[in-house]
């Protein structure tokens, strides 16, 4: 059992399925930062939900980047960390656009409660982010 857990969560890997599993775990942590920030800023600070969704998404993206580069994607296709971060950020900006679009469509157009919209949106954007980053940036 210890060997399995070690392989799943500790040893470096290039296996896409293991990376996706780890990415889901990291994504869960980033989602807590994102959704928690969205809720607090919308409910307690009185911010418009699309503005708080943008700010909280950026906070979640920062957490995601730090954890991903330290734990999941240790081998970049790029030697330059700044270039890697810029491409990571561009993928994140596309994800931010998708986040805003899906939040708007689900909340304003389909009249779904914004926190439920966030759950659906987070899953879709997580898949975009993982596969874009895996294909473009990492070995």
């Amino acid at each position: 059992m210890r060997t399995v857990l070690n392989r799943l969560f500790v040893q470096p890997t290039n296996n896409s399925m293991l990376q996706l599993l780890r990415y889901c775990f990291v994504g869960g942590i980033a989602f807590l930062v994102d959704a928690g920030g969205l809720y607090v800023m919308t409910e307690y600070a009185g911010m418009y939900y699309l503005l708080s969704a943008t700010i909280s998404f950026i906070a979640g993206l920062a957490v995601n980047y730090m954890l991903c580069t330290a734990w999941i994607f240790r081998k970049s296709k790029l030697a330059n960390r700044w270039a890697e971060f810029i491409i990571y950020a561009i993928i994140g900006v596309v994800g931010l656009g998708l986040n805003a679009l899906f939040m708007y469509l689900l909340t304003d157009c389909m009249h779904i409660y914004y926190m439920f919209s966030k759950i659906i949106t987070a899953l879709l954007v997580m898949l975009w982010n993982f596969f874009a980053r895996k294909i473009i940036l990492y070995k």
Side-chain angles (χ1 to χ4, degrees):
M1 178 64 147
R2 187 174 185 198
T3 305
V4 171
L5 291 175
N6 190 35
R7 183 168 186 261
L8 288 176
F9 295 107
V10 177
Q11 294 175 351
T13 184
N14 289 331
N15 181 293
S16 293
M17 292 307 294
L18 285 178
Q19 288 177 330
L20 180 59
L21 174 73
R22 291 177 183 183
Y23 195 82
C24 288
F25 184 75
V26 167
I29 294 168
F31 175 78
L32 291 175
V33 170
D34 185 357
L38 170 64
Y39 185 78
V40 168
M41 288 184 279
T42 302
E43 295 297 323
Y44 296 107
M47 294 175 78
Y48 181 59
Y49 81 93
L50 284 178
L51 177 60
S52 58
T54 300
I55 294 168
S56 65
F57 181 88
I58 292 168
L61 179 67
V63 168
N64 189 287
Y65 176 76
M66 289 183 285
L67 292 174
C68 281
T69 57
W71 185 40
I72 302 170
F73 301 122
R74 294 181 184 169
K75 293 185 179 182
S76 176
K77 292 178 182 175
L78 304 173
N80 185 321
R81 276 290 219 203
W82 283 107
E84 175 189 30
F85 179 76
I86 289 168
I87 294 170
Y88 197 95
I90 290 169
I91 293 168
V93 167
V94 172
L96 177 60
L98 293 171
N99 182 69
L101 175 65
F102 295 149
M103 287 293 294
Y104 171 76
L105 291 174
L106 293 169
T107 304
D108 282 354
C109 298
M110 298 178 72
H111 308 290
I112 296 173
Y113 178 58
Y114 76 95
M115 290 304 291
F116 291 135
S117 297
K118 183 63 192 175
I119 292 168
I120 297 165
T121 296
L123 291 171
L124 295 171
V125 173
M126 181 200 71
L127 290 172
W128 153 255
N129 285 335
F130 175 78
F131 287 109
R133 290 172 181 149
K134 175 71 177 164
I135 291 166
I136 296 169
L137 286 174
Y138 302 109
K139 298 177 182 178

